[in-house]
Amino acid sequence: QVQLVESGGGSVQAGGSLRLSCAASGISGTSHCWGWFRQTPGKEREGVASLYTGVTASTYYDDSVKGRFTISQDGVNNTLYLQMNSLKPEDTAMYYCAVEGPLAGSATYCYTRFQRHKGDWGQGTQVTVSS
């Protein structure tokens, strides 16, 4: 059974940085989709970034975070990270990590899978950015 536990959220001023972590257990095999999504009250969950760990590893970022956020994964510890720099008040949300696989694909494919709520999801960690 896959379990995901997010951590690293908190409150920060605009322009600051945070690093989110997602510790995964129950993962077997290689070539997985990993992703970060976020949600604010009353809105749909939206994608932030995705990562594919297959033979042809790749990453994908939503335009709203491109150049500011970096997704990465520690394959030894099965931990997913999201380094968030130059944070803006509009980045305020509950952040969720997700994983699916093993499967063949790409980071873009992973992103679309998570948009359709596929895979396993964590409980979320809150990020609040004040102006």
Side-chain angles (χ1 to χ4, degrees), residues 50-103:
S50 60
L51 179 151
Y52 179 63
T53 59
V55 173
T56 308
S58 57
T59 57
Y60 176 84
Y61 295 91
D62 184 82
D63 286 343
S64 64
V65 306
K66 201 172 294 183
R68 300 187 297 123
F69 292 9
T70 302
I71 187 172
S72 62
Q73 192 251 357
D74 180 342
V76 174
N77 297 315
N78 274 332
T79 301
L80 183 70
Y81 300 100
L82 184 68
Q83 178 65 45
M84 305 186 295
N85 298 328
S86 302
L87 282 161
K88 305 175 181 180
E90 51 263 44
D91 294 319
T92 295
M94 184 72 78
Y95 282 72
Y96 299 89
C97 66
V99 66
E100 188 182 20
L103 76 169

Side-chain angles (χ1 to χ4, degrees), residues 17-34:
S17 298
L18 283 174
R19 189 193 196 202
L20 305 184
S21 299
C22 173
S25 60
I27 303 292
S28 62
T30 58
S31 303
H32 286 79
C33 282
W34 298 83

